[in-house]
Structures are given as structure tokens and as C-alpha cells.
Amino acid sequence: MSVRRFLPSFLRRFLWRALMILALFWGGGIALFSIVPVPYSAVMAERQVSAWFHGDFSYVAHSDWVSMDEISPWLGLAVIAAEDQTFPDHWGFDIASIEKALAQNERHPARIRGASTLTQQTAKNLFLWDGRSWLRKGLEAGLTLGIETVWSKKRILTVYLNIAEFGDGVFGVEAAAQRYFHKPASKLTASEAALLAAVLPNPLRFKVSAPSGYVRSRQAWILRQMRQLGGESFMTQHHLY
């Protein structure tokens, strides 16, 4: 049965208009945030509404925007080493990682492995919602292509670092640096940067302030990857800092 036959005409018109409005909204957001600091993200909004729903009116989700010049180069390198080592070279998707993830997920369906690039994570954090669904992944793919087309790699990394979640109510690298290390993001060391990157798979479960053995082992692995990538020179070589 076709969509045209299944859905009433008024509902089809409503859905079409809703999609057009969302496309215009997201397209405008991509254009605007290519030059303007991001004041708020979809994930921040989701966390804020959830806190209010549970009666926590003291919770305030926000981030303190900083430019890449105000962020330690170690932090950008740590995030790339941990999350997306082909970031400078791909156009939003790491096909090899996707194939590996699909193969592993087929063998071990109880342990789902992701393969999202930093651009995909930025698209999701900025415009979409948590959770796994084909609808969200489809929207994420479209937004990823838009971001990669309009933004530079440096801009993508800057936005990612400013809206990433590093703990309960802790958004962005400046807030994380101040909360956990009592210093600005520009002063973070390689070890501190690796520790922040180590919690990114699940910042509400893994704690920077009380790192588990797994987080410490992941921190050590990230530090090794940072050295193998070439250290700070990697960032300047790829015009990311």
C-alpha cells in the first residue's frame, strides 16, 4: 500500500510542511553556526526538560563558548584519537569503521558498537535527540552532509568541543576544565585532555572526577594514540588549530 493511499491528504500536507519547516530550520542553523557561537544544543535542551520533569529546577544546562585558540591543542587531539582518527580526511562518514561495526554487531547483537564520526556526533548533539532509530540516523546523515559542506574541519571540531557532554550538567570543554581541573581549557595537559576524552562514550556513566579502572585504561590508550598520530603537530598539519 502506498503512502498516498494510506495517509489522508491533510495528514500528508501536514507532514510535508513539517519536513519543510525542519529543513529550513536546520539549514538556517548550519549556516548561522558556521560563524556564530552555538548558545544551546538539542542535547542540552533534552537534559534541561528531563530535569524539570523530574522536579529538579536547580539544574541549568549551558556551556561557556570558547574559540579554538582558547582550547588546549591536546584536547582536540585527544578527542580525535579517541573518537575519529580519520576526521581530517573523511566527508562526514568513516565507511571502514561502519563496515567493522556492522560486522561486529551482527556477531554480537547484545554489544552494539557505534561508528559515528565527530561530524555525525556534532549533528546529533546540536540538532537531534538521544536514542537509536532509523529515523534519527537518517536525519543525522543529512545534517552531517550539510555540516561537512558548509563548515571547515576546524569549525566542526570547535563546535563539537563546545557542546559535548562531559558529565551531569557539564557541557563544553571550558566548563569541564573548570569543574574537574580548576583551570581554563587553554591550560589542559595531554593527560587531562585524554581523561576528558575517555568518558565521551558515556559521560553520565563514566566519571572524570572518579575514573574507574576502565576509564584509566582508556585514558592510557588515548595517550598512546595521540603520540602515534604525531602529537601537537597533527593539529597544525591538518589546520585544526
Side-chain angles (χ1 to χ4, degrees), residues 13-61:
R13 289 196 299 270
F14 171 79
L15 291 174
W16 175 249
R17 289 171 182 172
L19 286 173
M20 290 296 293
I21 291 170
L22 282 175
L24 289 171
F25 173 77
W26 285 330
I30 290 173
L32 180 66
F33 295 139
S34 67
I35 54 176
V36 175
V38 176
Y40 218 67
S41 71
V43 170
M44 293 180 202
E46 186 176 351
R47 298 287 187 264
Q48 187 68 71
V49 171
S50 177
W52 287 341
F53 182 79
H54 289 91
D56 183 1
F57 297 100
S58 63
Y59 183 98
V60 179

Side-chain angles (χ1 to χ4, degrees), residues 71-75 77 186 188 190 226-227 229-241:
I71 301 173
S72 167
W74 291 119
L75 193 47
L77 179 61
S186 61
L188 289 172
M226 290 164 67
R227 288 192 292 270
L229 287 173
E232 284 183 287
S233 64
F234 177 89
M235 298 296 287
T236 54
Q237 176 186 348
H238 293 284
H239 309 289
L240 296 171
Y241 190 79

Side-chain angles (χ1 to χ4, degrees), residues 55-99:
D56 183 1
F57 297 100
S58 63
Y59 183 98
V60 179
H62 76 284
S63 69
D64 299 316
W65 179 273
V66 285
S67 68
M68 188 59 76
D69 294 338
E70 300 171 281
I71 301 173
S72 167
W74 291 119
L75 193 47
L77 179 61
V79 167
I80 290 170
E83 297 290 305
D84 184 5
Q85 294 190 13
T86 63
F87 174 67
D89 304 313
H90 64 60
W91 280 85
F93 307 96
D94 186 340
I95 302 303
S97 292
I98 291 173
E99 290 174 346

Side-chain angles (χ1 to χ4, degrees), residues 28-215:
I30 290 173
L32 180 66
F33 295 139
S34 67
I35 54 176
V36 175
V38 176
Y40 218 67
S41 71
V43 170
M44 293 180 202
E46 186 176 351
R47 298 287 187 264
Q48 187 68 71
V49 171
S50 177
W52 287 341
F53 182 79
H54 289 91
D56 183 1
F57 297 100
S58 63
Y59 183 98
V60 179
H62 76 284
S63 69
D64 299 316
W65 179 273
V66 285
S67 68
M68 188 59 76
D69 294 338
E70 300 171 281
I71 301 173
S72 167
W74 291 119
L75 193 47
L77 179 61
V79 167
I80 290 170
E83 297 290 305
D84 184 5
Q85 294 190 13
T86 63
F87 174 67
D89 304 313
H90 64 60
W91 280 85
F93 307 96
D94 186 340
I95 302 303
S97 292
I98 291 173
E99 290 174 346
K100 290 179 182 177
L102 290 173
Q104 177 173 311
N105 295 343
E106 187 175 349
R107 293 194 303 270
H108 307 286
R111 294 182 295 171
I112 299 298
R113 171 182 171 177
S116 293
T117 62
L118 289 179
T119 315
Q120 289 175 274
Q121 292 180 47
T122 301
K124 189 269 289 184
N125 291 342
L126 184 56
F127 293 115
L128 300 173
W129 61 90
D130 277 341
R132 295 179 182 275
S133 71
W134 287 111
L135 173 62
R136 202 215 73 187
K137 293 301 290 186
L139 294 172
E140 179 187 290
L143 289 165
T144 295
L145 290 173
I147 287 172
E148 284 279 351
T149 301
V150 177
W151 297 4
S152 67
K153 289 291 187 176
K154 181 177 179 180
R155 184 62 180 180
I156 295 170
L157 186 60
T158 302
V159 172
Y160 176 88
L161 291 172
N162 273 283
I163 65 174
E165 189 174 22
F166 290 96
D168 188 20
V170 183
F171 293 92
V173 293
E174 183 65 21
Q178 296 287 354
R179 170 74 67 86
Y180 301 123
F181 305 111
H182 312 293
K183 62 172 71 173
S186 61
K187 301 297 184 182
L188 289 172
T189 65
S191 179
E192 291 164 344
L195 180 56
L196 287 176
V199 306
L200 285 174
N202 193 334
L204 299 182
R205 176 185 175 189
F206 304 130
K207 308 295 183 183
V208 177
S209 56
S212 63
Y214 169 79
V215 170

